[in-house]
Amino acid sequence: MLQKRTLGHGSSALEVSILGLGCMGMSGGYSDHPDREEMVRLLRRSVEMGVTFFDTAEVYGAGHNEQLVGEALAEVRDKVQIATKFCWEIDHRAGRQLERRLRPDEVATACEGSLQRLGTDRIDLYYQHRINPEIAIEEYAGALAELVQAGKIRGYGLSEPSAETLRRAHAVHPVTAVQTEYSLWWRRPEAEVLPTCEELGIGFVAYSPLGKGFLTGTVDSSTTFEQGNDIRTTIPRFQPQALARNLELVELVRRVAQEQAIEPSQVALAWLLSRRPFIVPIPGTRKPERLRENLRAADVEIEQADLDELTEAIGQIEIEGGRYAEEAERMTNL
């Protein structure tokens, strides 16, 4: 079984598996929707393999992903922790996200919708998916604190906040966890957000820990992505010229993997787990073989000197292209 880590502290702390499962791709994002029954089986298999922490959001498939996760985990609900998120108004009939962001007085209604789709009476970790620059974070933190007090959620979190925003929210009610992209090729959280989490006792959930598949070693300069369905077609660092240059990082990870007799993905995840004891990566997958490969990273032992050498080496590599298109990056608060 997988080891455990703790997100946050006090009454809203969550003990979760050292590696969680990001479920977004099970409702699209990298291709058309995969077979629902296959995804239900994969979710249930992950529980058998020790995963207790599952990440979804209302916006993933306009509610489809929450329903999928809720159905798959219904029989083991008391053995797992489910995280979901709110942010935008969703047209569930049309199955699409609208541009308007929810106000603090609408959060409780959004929470009720997620509870219904998940088929549960509480959400273990409820994130504000993106920070709304037009409304003070204290107002959202207050609304989420009310949900904690009402027993609707166990703890709340913020996705992609700045250190300043995190401090302001935490002053209203303790934040259980921050969810932010973090990997060998996106290390910005190390500057301010990670140290702030460490100072305040807040957990850190690393999404896209494998760089949207890049760090698995399965992407090269000849790889093409499905237009209209694969999010990577919109990401600057996956564009042909940038991708070709960024492969230097993958080659480095491959070399380390060969030296350690493990897979590149396991190097990337083991490196993340070594950075702080309160970091929980949530790699996503739709394939049983990738699930097994990812979870084995929890047992990988790499000498600290080798990890330090890897950290120094990746710091010398200049990554070309942003992690998001400009419009999407502006939605973050980092």
Side-chain angles (χ1 to χ4, degrees):
M1 297 301 285
L2 293 176
Q3 306 165 47
K4 298 291 183 67
R5 285 191 169 182
T6 300
L7 301 173
H9 65 281
S11 60
S12 60
L14 293 178
E15 186 181 59
V16 302
S17 52
I18 192 170
L19 290 165
L21 183 60
C23 302
M24 183 191 79
M26 297 179 183
S27 297
Y30 294 95
S31 69
D32 287 335
H33 290 187
D35 182 80
R36 184 184 185 89
E37 290 306 311
E38 287 183 9
M39 295 302 96
V40 167
R41 287 195 293 271
L42 182 66
L43 284 159
R44 291 174 178 169
R45 179 59 181 146
S46 69
V47 176
E48 294 171 359
M49 298 176 71
V51 178
T52 69
F53 187 43
F54 296 85
D55 184 85
T56 181
E58 181 182 12
V59 74
Y60 300 161
H64 172 275
N65 202 249
E66 289 182 321
Q67 293 173 339
L68 173 68
V69 170
E71 174 189 338
L73 302 179
E75 293 185 2
V76 293
R77 181 64 187 92
D78 292 336
K79 299 179 181 179
V80 300
Q81 297 80 41
I82 297 175
T84 191
K85 314 175 193 72
F86 74 90
C87 182
W88 297 276
E89 181 180 7
I90 307 294
D91 184 338
H92 289 280
R93 289 188 177 182
R96 63 190 181 94
Q97 169 192 330
L98 305 180
E99 292 185 4
R100 190 180 73 83
R101 301 194 192 205
L102 299 180
R103 302 185 305 271
D105 61 357
E106 297 174 302
V107 173
T109 300
C111 180
E112 289 295 338
S114 288
L115 288 168
Q116 291 176 16
R117 286 183 294 275
L118 289 165
T120 187
D121 62 355
R122 85 282 182 193
I123 294 168
D124 299 294
L125 181 55
Y126 198 38
Y127 293 104
Q128 183 172 349
H129 206 156
R130 288 291 184 269
I131 306 303
N132 186 348
E134 298 178 358
I135 300 177
I137 192 63
E138 288 84 355
E139 294 188 39
Y140 286 102
L144 288 157
E146 291 178 4
L147 290 175
V148 172
Q149 293 161 6
K152 299 291 185 179
I153 66 176
R154 288 183 59 188
Y156 86 93
L158 302 176
S159 183
E160 298 278 343
S162 67
E164 178 189 0
T165 298
L166 180 57
R167 288 183 183 280
R168 288 168 52 195
H170 191 73
V172 175
H173 187 278
V175 175
T176 297
V178 163
Q179 183 180 119
T180 293
E181 182 170 356
Y182 184 33
S183 71
L184 283 164
W185 79 334
W186 179 257
R187 297 176 57 190
R188 186 181 294 177
E190 293 176 353
E192 296 183 352
V193 174
L194 264 177
T196 302
C197 287
E198 187 165 31
E199 175 191 341
L200 300 178
I202 298 170
F204 188 99
V205 176
Y207 78 80
S208 293
L210 298 176
K212 297 179 174 62
F214 185 70
L215 297 172
T216 64
T218 60
V219 175
D220 60 31
S221 56
S222 66
T223 302
T224 58
F225 306 107
E226 188 177 343
Q227 290 291 332
N229 284 320
D230 195 315
I231 190 176
R232 289 171 291 191
T233 61
T234 69
I235 296 176
R237 57 181 53 185
F238 278 100
Q239 302 313 302
Q241 180 177 339
L243 185 62
R245 293 194 59 179
N246 293 334
L247 287 172
E248 181 182 355
L249 174 58
V250 174
E251 289 306 316
L252 171 61
V253 176
R254 277 204 188 100
R255 289 198 299 272
V256 174
Q258 290 173 352
E259 292 168 2
Q260 299 290 330
I262 58 178
E263 299 297 328
S265 61
Q266 294 167 345
V267 171
L269 292 171
W271 179 83
L272 266 178
L273 291 171
S274 75
R275 302 301 287 169
R276 297 289 198 287
F278 54 85
I279 291 176
V280 177
I282 51 168
T285 187
R286 299 181 300 195
K287 300 178 180 179
E289 60 272 24
R290 288 294 181 195
L291 174 65
R292 289 191 293 271
E293 179 181 303
N294 291 343
L295 296 185
R296 286 173 183 155
D299 297 320
V300 166
E301 295 183 6
I302 302 177
E303 295 291 337
Q304 188 60 50
D306 294 329
L307 288 168
D308 292 343
E309 185 176 339
L310 174 60
T311 303
E312 182 177 357
I314 61 176
Q316 304 304 310
I317 296 174
E318 184 175 351
I319 302 300
E320 181 172 328
R323 60 163 180 156
Y324 283 134
E326 289 185 12
E327 182 179 355
E329 186 62 53
R330 283 197 297 270
M331 290 184 183
T332 72
N333 187 232
L334 288 178

PDB file of all heavy atoms in Angstrom, residues 163-193:
ATOM      1  N   ALA A 163       1.593  34.088  -3.097  1.00  0.00           N
ATOM      2  CA  ALA A 163       1.867  33.959  -1.662  1.00  0.00           C
ATOM      3  C   ALA A 163       1.053  34.976  -0.870  1.00  0.00           C
ATOM      4  O   ALA A 163       0.538  34.666   0.215  1.00  0.00           O
ATOM      5  CB  ALA A 163       3.359  34.132  -1.410  1.00  0.00           C
ATOM      6  N   GLU A 164       0.930  36.179  -1.386  1.00  0.00           N
ATOM      7  CA  GLU A 164       0.169  37.224  -0.682  1.00  0.00           C
ATOM      8  C   GLU A 164      -1.306  36.836  -0.560  1.00  0.00           C
ATOM      9  O   GLU A 164      -1.914  36.966   0.507  1.00  0.00           O
ATOM     10  CB  GLU A 164       0.290  38.561  -1.424  1.00  0.00           C
ATOM     11  CG  GLU A 164      -0.516  39.675  -0.776  1.00  0.00           C
ATOM     12  CD  GLU A 164      -0.575  40.937  -1.612  1.00  0.00           C
ATOM     13  OE1 GLU A 164       0.021  40.962  -2.706  1.00  0.00           O
ATOM     14  OE2 GLU A 164      -1.234  41.901  -1.183  1.00  0.00           O
ATOM     15  N   THR A 165      -1.888  36.359  -1.660  1.00  0.00           N
ATOM     16  CA  THR A 165      -3.289  35.930  -1.632  1.00  0.00           C
ATOM     17  C   THR A 165      -3.481  34.796  -0.647  1.00  0.00           C
ATOM     18  O   THR A 165      -4.459  34.761   0.115  1.00  0.00           O
ATOM     19  CB  THR A 165      -3.730  35.485  -3.035  1.00  0.00           C
ATOM     20  OG1 THR A 165      -3.637  36.595  -3.932  1.00  0.00           O
ATOM     21  CG2 THR A 165      -5.154  34.966  -3.026  1.00  0.00           C
ATOM     22  N   LEU A 166      -2.549  33.874  -0.630  1.00  0.00           N
ATOM     23  CA  LEU A 166      -2.616  32.733   0.283  1.00  0.00           C
ATOM     24  C   LEU A 166      -2.608  33.190   1.734  1.00  0.00           C
ATOM     25  O   LEU A 166      -3.400  32.712   2.561  1.00  0.00           O
ATOM     26  CB  LEU A 166      -1.438  31.796  -0.005  1.00  0.00           C
ATOM     27  CG  LEU A 166      -1.321  30.544   0.845  1.00  0.00           C
ATOM     28  CD1 LEU A 166      -2.576  29.694   0.753  1.00  0.00           C
ATOM     29  CD2 LEU A 166      -0.098  29.735   0.404  1.00  0.00           C
ATOM     30  N   ARG A 167      -1.746  34.129   2.065  1.00  0.00           N
ATOM     31  CA  ARG A 167      -1.679  34.639   3.436  1.00  0.00           C
ATOM     32  C   ARG A 167      -2.993  35.309   3.847  1.00  0.00           C
ATOM     33  O   ARG A 167      -3.479  35.130   4.969  1.00  0.00           O
ATOM     34  CB  ARG A 167      -0.528  35.640   3.570  1.00  0.00           C
ATOM     35  CG  ARG A 167       0.851  35.018   3.541  1.00  0.00           C
ATOM     36  CD  ARG A 167       1.933  36.071   3.747  1.00  0.00           C
ATOM     37  NE  ARG A 167       3.262  35.504   3.643  1.00  0.00           N
ATOM     38  CZ  ARG A 167       3.874  34.835   4.610  1.00  0.00           C
ATOM     39  NH1 ARG A 167       3.252  34.660   5.774  1.00  0.00           N
ATOM     40  NH2 ARG A 167       5.085  34.355   4.437  1.00  0.00           N
ATOM     41  N   ARG A 168      -3.562  36.071   2.948  1.00  0.00           N
ATOM     42  CA  ARG A 168      -4.800  36.789   3.264  1.00  0.00           C
ATOM     43  C   ARG A 168      -5.954  35.819   3.499  1.00  0.00           C
ATOM     44  O   ARG A 168      -6.754  35.982   4.423  1.00  0.00           O
ATOM     45  CB  ARG A 168      -5.139  37.761   2.143  1.00  0.00           C
ATOM     46  CG  ARG A 168      -4.211  38.979   2.077  1.00  0.00           C
ATOM     47  CD  ARG A 168      -4.394  39.756   0.786  1.00  0.00           C
ATOM     48  NE  ARG A 168      -5.794  40.093   0.529  1.00  0.00           N
ATOM     49  CZ  ARG A 168      -6.251  40.501  -0.650  1.00  0.00           C
ATOM     50  NH1 ARG A 168      -5.413  40.618  -1.676  1.00  0.00           N
ATOM     51  NH2 ARG A 168      -7.520  40.810  -0.800  1.00  0.00           N
ATOM     52  N   ALA A 169      -6.043  34.782   2.663  1.00  0.00           N
ATOM     53  CA  ALA A 169      -7.103  33.787   2.844  1.00  0.00           C
ATOM     54  C   ALA A 169      -6.899  33.010   4.139  1.00  0.00           C
ATOM     55  O   ALA A 169      -7.848  32.770   4.897  1.00  0.00           O
ATOM     56  CB  ALA A 169      -7.120  32.833   1.655  1.00  0.00           C
ATOM     57  N   HIS A 170      -5.675  32.634   4.395  1.00  0.00           N
ATOM     58  CA  HIS A 170      -5.351  31.834   5.582  1.00  0.00           C
ATOM     59  C   HIS A 170      -5.647  32.587   6.873  1.00  0.00           C
ATOM     60  O   HIS A 170      -5.956  31.972   7.902  1.00  0.00           O
ATOM     61  CB  HIS A 170      -3.867  31.441   5.525  1.00  0.00           C
ATOM     62  CG  HIS A 170      -3.460  30.416   6.532  1.00  0.00           C
ATOM     63  ND1 HIS A 170      -3.819  29.084   6.436  1.00  0.00           N
ATOM     64  CD2 HIS A 170      -2.714  30.528   7.664  1.00  0.00           C
ATOM     65  CE1 HIS A 170      -3.303  28.423   7.454  1.00  0.00           C
ATOM     66  NE2 HIS A 170      -2.632  29.263   8.217  1.00  0.00           N
ATOM     67  N   ALA A 171      -5.556  33.907   6.813  1.00  0.00           N
ATOM     68  CA  ALA A 171      -5.840  34.717   8.001  1.00  0.00           C
ATOM     69  C   ALA A 171      -7.321  34.683   8.368  1.00  0.00           C
ATOM     70  O   ALA A 171      -7.693  34.897   9.522  1.00  0.00           O
ATOM     71  CB  ALA A 171      -5.393  36.159   7.766  1.00  0.00           C
ATOM     72  N   VAL A 172      -8.189  34.396   7.389  1.00  0.00           N
ATOM     73  CA  VAL A 172      -9.626  34.313   7.641  1.00  0.00           C
ATOM     74  C   VAL A 172      -9.988  32.937   8.191  1.00  0.00           C
ATOM     75  O   VAL A 172     -10.725  32.806   9.168  1.00  0.00           O
ATOM     76  CB  VAL A 172     -10.421  34.595   6.353  1.00  0.00           C
ATOM     77  CG1 VAL A 172     -11.926  34.382   6.582  1.00  0.00           C
ATOM     78  CG2 VAL A 172     -10.153  36.009   5.869  1.00  0.00           C
ATOM     79  N   HIS A 173      -9.473  31.894   7.540  1.00  0.00           N
ATOM     80  CA  HIS A 173      -9.693  30.515   7.972  1.00  0.00           C
ATOM     81  C   HIS A 173      -8.542  29.676   7.430  1.00  0.00           C
ATOM     82  O   HIS A 173      -8.142  29.851   6.278  1.00  0.00           O
ATOM     83  CB  HIS A 173     -11.032  29.981   7.440  1.00  0.00           C
ATOM     84  CG  HIS A 173     -11.398  28.641   7.983  1.00  0.00           C
ATOM     85  ND1 HIS A 173     -10.892  27.466   7.465  1.00  0.00           N
ATOM     86  CD2 HIS A 173     -12.212  28.278   9.009  1.00  0.00           C
ATOM     87  CE1 HIS A 173     -11.380  26.442   8.140  1.00  0.00           C
ATOM     88  NE2 HIS A 173     -12.193  26.907   9.069  1.00  0.00           N
ATOM     89  N   PRO A 174      -7.978  28.760   8.226  1.00  0.00           N
ATOM     90  CA  PRO A 174      -6.819  27.989   7.763  1.00  0.00           C
ATOM     91  C   PRO A 174      -7.055  27.292   6.429  1.00  0.00           C
ATOM     92  O   PRO A 174      -8.065  26.612   6.230  1.00  0.00           O
ATOM     93  CB  PRO A 174      -6.617  26.964   8.889  1.00  0.00           C
ATOM     94  CG  PRO A 174      -7.161  27.637  10.105  1.00  0.00           C
ATOM     95  CD  PRO A 174      -8.342  28.437   9.617  1.00  0.00           C
ATOM     96  N   VAL A 175      -6.126  27.482   5.509  1.00  0.00           N
ATOM     97  CA  VAL A 175      -6.160  26.832   4.208  1.00  0.00           C
ATOM     98  C   VAL A 175      -5.548  25.439   4.356  1.00  0.00           C
ATOM     99  O   VAL A 175      -4.463  25.289   4.922  1.00  0.00           O
ATOM    100  CB  VAL A 175      -5.379  27.656   3.163  1.00  0.00           C
ATOM    101  CG1 VAL A 175      -5.319  26.914   1.829  1.00  0.00           C
ATOM    102  CG2 VAL A 175      -6.017  29.025   2.983  1.00  0.00           C
ATOM    103  N   THR A 176      -6.232  24.430   3.851  1.00  0.00           N
ATOM    104  CA  THR A 176      -5.720  23.062   3.943  1.00  0.00           C
ATOM    105  C   THR A 176      -4.623  22.806   2.919  1.00  0.00           C
ATOM    106  O   THR A 176      -3.599  22.205   3.230  1.00  0.00           O
ATOM    107  CB  THR A 176      -6.862  22.045   3.740  1.00  0.00           C
ATOM    108  OG1 THR A 176      -7.816  22.211   4.798  1.00  0.00           O
ATOM    109  CG2 THR A 176      -6.336  20.615   3.760  1.00  0.00           C
ATOM    110  N   ALA A 177      -4.840  23.260   1.679  1.00  0.00           N
ATOM    111  CA  ALA A 177      -3.876  22.960   0.627  1.00  0.00           C
ATOM    112  C   ALA A 177      -3.933  23.978  -0.497  1.00  0.00           C
ATOM    113  O   ALA A 177      -4.969  24.584  -0.760  1.00  0.00           O
ATOM    114  CB  ALA A 177      -4.124  21.563   0.054  1.00  0.00           C
ATOM    115  N   VAL A 178      -2.800  24.127  -1.143  1.00  0.00           N
ATOM    116  CA  VAL A 178      -2.667  24.893  -2.381  1.00  0.00           C
ATOM    117  C   VAL A 178      -2.482  23.881  -3.499  1.00  0.00           C
ATOM    118  O   VAL A 178      -1.743  22.902  -3.348  1.00  0.00           O
ATOM    119  CB  VAL A 178      -1.457  25.832  -2.321  1.00  0.00           C
ATOM    120  CG1 VAL A 178      -1.070  26.318  -3.711  1.00  0.00           C
ATOM    121  CG2 VAL A 178      -1.739  27.006  -1.412  1.00  0.00           C
ATOM    122  N   GLN A 179      -3.166  24.089  -4.611  1.00  0.00           N
ATOM    123  CA  GLN A 179      -2.916  23.264  -5.786  1.00  0.00           C
ATOM    124  C   GLN A 179      -2.351  24.152  -6.883  1.00  0.00           C
ATOM    125  O   GLN A 179      -2.976  25.124  -7.290  1.00  0.00           O
ATOM    126  CB  GLN A 179      -4.189  22.589  -6.290  1.00  0.00           C
ATOM    127  CG  GLN A 179      -3.892  21.675  -7.478  1.00  0.00           C
ATOM    128  CD  GLN A 179      -5.124  20.978  -8.019  1.00  0.00           C
ATOM    129  OE1 GLN A 179      -5.483  21.173  -9.177  1.00  0.00           O
ATOM    130  NE2 GLN A 179      -5.772  20.175  -7.199  1.00  0.00           N
ATOM    131  N   THR A 180      -1.152  23.805  -7.333  1.00  0.00           N
ATOM    132  CA  THR A 180      -0.471  24.597  -8.349  1.00  0.00           C
ATOM    133  C   THR A 180       0.355  23.665  -9.220  1.00  0.00           C
ATOM    134  O   THR A 180       0.833  22.632  -8.755  1.00  0.00           O
ATOM    135  CB  THR A 180       0.439  25.655  -7.694  1.00  0.00           C
ATOM    136  OG1 THR A 180      -0.370  26.615  -7.021  1.00  0.00           O
ATOM    137  CG2 THR A 180       1.286  26.390  -8.707  1.00  0.00           C
ATOM    138  N   GLU A 181       0.500  24.015 -10.468  1.00  0.00           N
ATOM    139  CA  GLU A 181       1.387  23.241 -11.334  1.00  0.00           C
ATOM    140  C   GLU A 181       2.802  23.295 -10.770  1.00  0.00           C
ATOM    141  O   GLU A 181       3.291  24.344 -10.365  1.00  0.00           O
ATOM    142  CB  GLU A 181       1.368  23.802 -12.763  1.00  0.00           C
ATOM    143  CG  GLU A 181       2.231  22.991 -13.714  1.00  0.00           C
ATOM    144  CD  GLU A 181       2.037  23.378 -15.166  1.00  0.00           C
ATOM    145  OE1 GLU A 181       1.180  24.226 -15.459  1.00  0.00           O
ATOM    146  OE2 GLU A 181       2.748  22.801 -16.012  1.00  0.00           O
ATOM    147  N   TYR A 182       3.463  22.133 -10.754  1.00  0.00           N
ATOM    148  CA  TYR A 182       4.830  22.070 -10.255  1.00  0.00           C
ATOM    149  C   TYR A 182       5.470  20.803 -10.815  1.00  0.00           C
ATOM    150  O   TYR A 182       4.906  19.715 -10.701  1.00  0.00           O
ATOM    151  CB  TYR A 182       4.832  22.042  -8.730  1.00  0.00           C
ATOM    152  CG  TYR A 182       6.203  22.065  -8.069  1.00  0.00           C
ATOM    153  CD1 TYR A 182       7.278  22.739  -8.635  1.00  0.00           C
ATOM    154  CD2 TYR A 182       6.411  21.409  -6.858  1.00  0.00           C
ATOM    155  CE1 TYR A 182       8.516  22.774  -8.015  1.00  0.00           C
ATOM    156  CE2 TYR A 182       7.647  21.444  -6.215  1.00  0.00           C
ATOM    157  CZ  TYR A 182       8.694  22.114  -6.805  1.00  0.00           C
ATOM    158  OH  TYR A 182       9.923  22.143  -6.185  1.00  0.00           O
ATOM    159  N   SER A 183       6.626  20.962 -11.435  1.00  0.00           N
ATOM    160  CA  SER A 183       7.322  19.818 -12.007  1.00  0.00           C
ATOM    161  C   SER A 183       8.750  20.239 -12.334  1.00  0.00           C
ATOM    162  O   SER A 183       9.147  21.380 -12.104  1.00  0.00           O
ATOM    163  CB  SER A 183       6.619  19.344 -13.292  1.00  0.00           C
ATOM    164  OG  SER A 183       6.815  20.287 -14.342  1.00  0.00           O
ATOM    165  N   LEU A 184       9.480  19.296 -12.904  1.00  0.00           N
ATOM    166  CA  LEU A 184      10.850  19.584 -13.311  1.00  0.00           C
ATOM    167  C   LEU A 184      10.937  20.715 -14.329  1.00  0.00           C
ATOM    168  O   LEU A 184      11.976  21.354 -14.453  1.00  0.00           O
ATOM    169  CB  LEU A 184      11.488  18.323 -13.916  1.00  0.00           C
ATOM    170  CG  LEU A 184      11.951  17.251 -12.923  1.00  0.00           C
ATOM    171  CD1 LEU A 184      12.194  15.945 -13.642  1.00  0.00           C
ATOM    172  CD2 LEU A 184      13.210  17.708 -12.200  1.00  0.00           C
ATOM    173  N   TRP A 185       9.837  20.958 -15.069  1.00  0.00           N
ATOM    174  CA  TRP A 185       9.932  22.052 -16.040  1.00  0.00           C
ATOM    175  C   TRP A 185       8.993  23.214 -15.731  1.00  0.00           C
ATOM    176  O   TRP A 185       8.779  24.079 -16.549  1.00  0.00           O
ATOM    177  CB  TRP A 185       9.785  21.541 -17.469  1.00  0.00           C
ATOM    178  CG  TRP A 185       8.428  21.235 -18.006  1.00  0.00           C
ATOM    179  CD1 TRP A 185       7.312  20.889 -17.322  1.00  0.00           C
ATOM    180  CD2 TRP A 185       8.083  21.264 -19.391  1.00  0.00           C
ATOM    181  NE1 TRP A 185       6.278  20.686 -18.187  1.00  0.00           N
ATOM    182  CE2 TRP A 185       6.722  20.897 -19.470  1.00  0.00           C
ATOM    183  CE3 TRP A 185       8.769  21.549 -20.566  1.00  0.00           C
ATOM    184  CZ2 TRP A 185       6.048  20.811 -20.683  1.00  0.00           C
ATOM    185  CZ3 TRP A 185       8.095  21.455 -21.767  1.00  0.00           C
ATOM    186  CH2 TRP A 185       6.748  21.097 -21.825  1.00  0.00           C
ATOM    187  N   TRP A 186       8.463  23.251 -14.503  1.00  0.00           N
ATOM    188  CA  TRP A 186       7.725  24.436 -14.038  1.00  0.00           C
ATOM    189  C   TRP A 186       7.962  24.574 -12.542  1.00  0.00           C
ATOM    190  O   TRP A 186       7.305  23.939 -11.727  1.00  0.00           O
ATOM    191  CB  TRP A 186       6.235  24.341 -14.349  1.00  0.00           C
ATOM    192  CG  TRP A 186       5.490  25.548 -13.845  1.00  0.00           C
ATOM    193  CD1 TRP A 186       4.710  25.643 -12.743  1.00  0.00           C
ATOM    194  CD2 TRP A 186       5.520  26.863 -14.413  1.00  0.00           C
ATOM    195  NE1 TRP A 186       4.232  26.929 -12.574  1.00  0.00           N
ATOM    196  CE2 TRP A 186       4.715  27.691 -13.603  1.00  0.00           C
ATOM    197  CE3 TRP A 186       6.148  27.420 -15.531  1.00  0.00           C
ATOM    198  CZ2 TRP A 186       4.519  29.045 -13.873  1.00  0.00           C
ATOM    199  CZ3 TRP A 186       5.943  28.763 -15.791  1.00  0.00           C
ATOM    200  CH2 TRP A 186       5.134  29.556 -14.978  1.00  0.00           C
ATOM    201  N   ARG A 187       8.936  25.426 -12.182  1.00  0.00           N
ATOM    202  CA  ARG A 187       9.404  25.478 -10.799  1.00  0.00           C
ATOM    203  C   ARG A 187       9.114  26.812 -10.110  1.00  0.00           C
ATOM    204  O   ARG A 187       9.627  27.078  -9.027  1.00  0.00           O
ATOM    205  CB  ARG A 187      10.904  25.183 -10.765  1.00  0.00           C
ATOM    206  CG  ARG A 187      11.244  23.786 -11.256  1.00  0.00           C
ATOM    207  CD  ARG A 187      12.739  23.544 -11.306  1.00  0.00           C
ATOM    208  NE  ARG A 187      13.368  23.751 -10.011  1.00  0.00           N
ATOM    209  CZ  ARG A 187      14.681  23.800  -9.820  1.00  0.00           C
ATOM    210  NH1 ARG A 187      15.502  23.661 -10.851  1.00  0.00           N
ATOM    211  NH2 ARG A 187      15.181  23.996  -8.619  1.00  0.00           N
ATOM    212  N   ARG A 188       8.271  27.632 -10.698  1.00  0.00           N
ATOM    213  CA  ARG A 188       7.994  28.938 -10.108  1.00  0.00           C
ATOM    214  C   ARG A 188       7.498  28.867  -8.656  1.00  0.00           C
ATOM    215  O   ARG A 188       7.832  29.741  -7.855  1.00  0.00           O
ATOM    216  CB  ARG A 188       6.995  29.724 -10.964  1.00  0.00           C
ATOM    217  CG  ARG A 188       6.793  31.154 -10.446  1.00  0.00           C
ATOM    218  CD  ARG A 188       5.779  31.928 -11.270  1.00  0.00           C
ATOM    219  NE  ARG A 188       6.242  32.173 -12.623  1.00  0.00           N
ATOM    220  CZ  ARG A 188       5.501  32.780 -13.556  1.00  0.00           C
ATOM    221  NH1 ARG A 188       4.272  33.170 -13.266  1.00  0.00           N
ATOM    222  NH2 ARG A 188       5.995  32.982 -14.763  1.00  0.00           N
ATOM    223  N   PRO A 189       6.704  27.863  -8.262  1.00  0.00           N
ATOM    224  CA  PRO A 189       6.244  27.826  -6.864  1.00  0.00           C
ATOM    225  C   PRO A 189       7.369  27.833  -5.836  1.00  0.00           C
ATOM    226  O   PRO A 189       7.156  28.215  -4.677  1.00  0.00           O
ATOM    227  CB  PRO A 189       5.449  26.516  -6.794  1.00  0.00           C
ATOM    228  CG  PRO A 189       4.954  26.312  -8.179  1.00  0.00           C
ATOM    229  CD  PRO A 189       6.075  26.787  -9.060  1.00  0.00           C
ATOM    230  N   GLU A 190       8.569  27.417  -6.244  1.00  0.00           N
ATOM    231  CA  GLU A 190       9.680  27.359  -5.290  1.00  0.00           C
ATOM    232  C   GLU A 190      10.067  28.746  -4.778  1.00  0.00           C
ATOM    233  O   GLU A 190      10.627  28.872  -3.678  1.00  0.00           O
ATOM    234  CB  GLU A 190      10.901  26.714  -5.952  1.00  0.00           C
ATOM    235  CG  GLU A 190      10.697  25.251  -6.290  1.00  0.00           C
ATOM    236  CD  GLU A 190      11.872  24.646  -7.037  1.00  0.00           C
ATOM    237  OE1 GLU A 190      12.804  25.394  -7.415  1.00  0.00           O
ATOM    238  OE2 GLU A 190      11.853  23.428  -7.255  1.00  0.00           O
ATOM    239  N   ALA A 191       9.778  29.783  -5.555  1.00  0.00           N
ATOM    240  CA  ALA A 191      10.206  31.134  -5.182  1.00  0.00           C
ATOM    241  C   ALA A 191       9.480  31.653  -3.949  1.00  0.00           C
ATOM    242  O   ALA A 191      10.111  32.141  -3.005  1.00  0.00           O
ATOM    243  CB  ALA A 191      10.011  32.087  -6.354  1.00  0.00           C
ATOM    244  N   GLU A 192       8.146  31.553  -3.925  1.00  0.00           N
ATOM    245  CA  GLU A 192       7.384  32.151  -2.829  1.00  0.00           C
ATOM    246  C   GLU A 192       6.296  31.249  -2.255  1.00  0.00           C
ATOM    247  O   GLU A 192       6.100  31.212  -1.043  1.00  0.00           O
ATOM    248  CB  GLU A 192       6.743  33.471  -3.295  1.00  0.00           C
ATOM    249  CG  GLU A 192       7.742  34.551  -3.657  1.00  0.00           C
ATOM    250  CD  GLU A 192       7.062  35.856  -4.047  1.00  0.00           C
ATOM    251  OE1 GLU A 192       5.813  35.859  -4.185  1.00  0.00           O
ATOM    252  OE2 GLU A 192       7.763  36.864  -4.213  1.00  0.00           O
ATOM    253  N   VAL A 193       5.580  30.545  -3.117  1.00  0.00           N
ATOM    254  CA  VAL A 193       4.408  29.805  -2.647  1.00  0.00           C
ATOM    255  C   VAL A 193       4.798  28.614  -1.771  1.00  0.00           C
ATOM    256  O   VAL A 193       4.222  28.412  -0.688  1.00  0.00           O
ATOM    257  CB  VAL A 193       3.535  29.348  -3.832  1.00  0.00           C
ATOM    258  CG1 VAL A 193       2.401  28.442  -3.351  1.00  0.00           C
ATOM    259  CG2 VAL A 193       2.962  30.570  -4.545  1.00  0.00           C
TER     260      VAL A 193
END
